[in-house]
Amino acid sequence: MRIDDAVGIAVRGYRSRPSGVLPYYLLGTSTAAVTQTIWLIGVTATYFTLSAQGTLAPILTELRALGPLQIDDPTTFPDSTDALVTAFEAAVTPTLIAVVGATVVLSVVVTLAVTATAAAGQVHAVHAVLDGREPIRAGVDGILRDAVSFVALLVLQAIAMLAVVGLLLAGIVAAAATGPAGTLLAIVLVPAVPLAVLTVRLAFLFARQAVVVDGVGALAGVRHSLGYLRTNPVDAIIFLILSVVTLIALGVVTTMLSAVGMSAVGSLVGLAVAFPLLTFVKTALYVGHADGELPAPPAAAGTAASRLDAELRAGAAALGRFVSSRPLLQAASGAVFALGGALGWRAAAGVDGVLEASIAARLAGWFPPTAMANLAANNWQVGVAQAYGGFLGGIPTLASLLFNGISLGAIARIEVDPIALLTFVAPHGVVEIPGLIVAGALGLHLGGVGVRAATGGADRADLAAAVGRAYRILIGLALVFLVAAAIEAFVSPYYADLLGL
C-alpha cells in the first residue's frame, strides 16, 4: 500500500463532495458555544459567590484605587499593589475554588465529549465519500452509532497515556533517589518518556477508522488499530510523520497570519482544509487495509469555480428562504441578543472607574485588507458555532447570543467616547448584527430538531436534512459576514472624518 496513492485519493474524494464532509467539521466548532455556556454559568456563579462572601467589594475598591484600566492598552495596567493582592487572597476560599474548579473540569469534559462526537460524524462522512455513499446521512448514522465508542477511545487513550508516562516518571524519580547509579539510570530513562507517548499515539492512530470501517467498539478498535500497525508499520509511521508535519505547517501559517492580524483565517484553514484532508488520507489507508485495495471515490464534476459559484448561489437562496419562513425565530433570537446587551450595560455599571475601553486604541495600526479577512473569518465561525451548537436543545445558542449581547453592551458602557463607538459600529453593525441574529435563529431551529429527535418526533432522515440545510444557510451567512467585514474594515473607521462628522 502506498501513502502517496492514499493522498491522491484523499484529494480526489474531498474535491468531489466537500459539502458532504464540511458540515461535520463545522459541527465540531459547536464546542465553542458549548464551552461558552459552561463558562457563562461559571462566571455567574463566581460573581454570586464573591458577592455572598463579601469579597467582591474590596477587590473593586482596590482596582478603583489604581485608576481606570484601559482594556485596549495593556501598557496602562500598573503592577499589582499589596492591597490588591491581599483582597484577591481573601477572596480565594474553598467555595470559590470549588466553583472555579467545577467550571474548568466540566468545560474540559464536555468539550472533549462534543469534539469526539463530532469526530464520529466526520469519519463516517469521509468513509461514505470514499465508498460513493451519501455522506450527510452517513454522518448522522455514524454519530448515533459510534459517538459513545469515540468518547471511549478518547478516555482509553488518556488513561493509557497517563499510565505509561506516570509509571516512567515515577521510575525516574525513584531511580534518582537511590544514588549515583540510580541517577544515571534516571537520565537514561528520560528519553523513554517521549518514546512512550509516541507508542501510545501509534497504538490508537487508526482506532477511529477501525470503529467506523469494521463496525466494532472502542476496545476492538484499538486491537484492529494495532493490527494495522503490525501489518503496515511503514505506512503508519509515514502517516504519523505526515500528520505532524501538516500540523507544524498549519501552526507556522497560523502564527504568520496572527502576526498580521488574521488569526481567525488560520483556524479556518485548519478547519476546512488540513483536518479533513488528514482524515481522508487516514481513512483511505485503513479501507485499503480492511478491503485489500484502496477506495476509488468518484471524480468531482465541473470546475472548482463552477462548483463554488453553485454553492454560494444555493447558500444565498437557502438563507433567504430561512429568514422569510422563520420570522418568530428571528424575533426570539434578536430579543435574546438585546437582553444580553441590556444585561451587559447594567453589569458594566459596577466597574465604573475600574475599566475603560477605547475604540480609538483598538483602531491603532488598523490595516483594512487583513482586518477584513480576519473579521469575516471570525464572525462566520462565531455564527457557525452559534448555529450548530443549537442541536443541544438550543441552550448553547441562547448562551452565545447572551454572551455576544453582554459583550457589546458592556463595551458600550465603558467606552470613553460613546459617540465615536456608535459612529464606528453603525455602518457594519446593520449587517453584522442581523447576521448573528439569523445564526442564532438557525441554532434555535436546530434546537427544536434536536429535541424532536430525542423525543421520537424526528428520525435520522430529518436530522440529516437539518444538518445539510443548516450548512447551506451558513454558506449564505458567510456572504453576509464578508460584506459586513468589508464595510467594517474599509468604511467604518474612515467615513465620519470624510463626511466631517
Side-chain angles (χ1 to χ4, degrees), residues 314-372:
L319 174 62
R321 287 193 299 270
F322 177 75
V323 171
S324 62
S325 64
R326 298 288 194 281
L328 293 180
L329 283 179
Q330 318 297 324
S333 178
V336 174
F337 184 85
L339 174 62
L343 291 174
W345 178 271
R346 181 171 181 177
V351 294
D352 281 344
V354 177
L355 300 176
E356 286 184 349
S358 170
I359 184 61
R362 289 199 295 279
L363 292 175
W366 189 263
F367 183 58
T370 56
M372 174 183 168

Side-chain angles (χ1 to χ4, degrees), residues 30-200:
S30 64
T31 55
V34 175
T35 304
Q36 203 171 64
T37 304
I38 295 169
W39 277 102
L40 193 60
I41 296 171
V43 168
T44 303
T46 299
Y47 171 81
F48 283 114
T49 300
L50 291 171
S51 297
Q53 293 176 168
T55 52
L56 179 61
I59 292 174
L60 293 176
T61 299
E62 296 303 327
L63 284 171
R64 287 192 182 95
L66 297 176
L69 305 178
Q70 272 280 356
I71 64 173
D72 302 303
D73 186 3
T75 61
T76 64
F77 282 47
D79 295 332
S80 296
T81 65
D82 291 340
L84 181 61
V85 171
T86 301
F88 272 111
E89 288 176 346
V92 181
T93 62
T95 302
L96 184 66
I97 292 173
V99 169
V100 175
T103 301
V104 172
V105 171
L106 186 60
S107 175
V108 171
V109 170
V110 172
T111 297
L112 292 177
V114 173
T115 301
T117 299
Q122 293 160 11
V123 179
H124 272 279
V126 166
H127 185 219
V129 170
L130 294 175
D131 271 359
R133 294 180 286 114
E134 167 51 45
I136 296 289
R137 175 59 188 268
V140 168
D141 291 341
I143 287 174
L144 296 176
R145 193 191 82 180
D146 291 328
V148 173
S149 294
F150 271 57
V151 172
L153 283 174
L154 198 63
V155 173
L156 288 172
Q157 185 170 352
I159 292 172
M161 198 76 75
L162 290 172
V164 172
V165 173
L167 286 173
L168 278 173
L169 291 177
I172 290 171
V173 172
T178 60
T183 301
L184 181 61
L185 176 61
I187 294 172
V188 172
L189 285 175
V190 168
V193 175
L195 183 61
V197 171
L198 177 63
T199 301
V200 173

Side-chain angles (χ1 to χ4, degrees), residues 420 422-427 487 490-501:
L422 179 61
T423 303
F424 172 75
V425 171
I487 297 171
F490 289 95
V491 178
S492 294
Y494 311 112
Y495 80 99
D497 289 338
L498 292 175
L499 297 177
L501 299 177

Side-chain angles (χ1 to χ4, degrees), residues 252-265:
V252 170
V253 169
T254 301
T255 301
M256 293 172 62
L257 290 171
S258 297
V260 295
M262 295 196 297
S263 57
V265 176

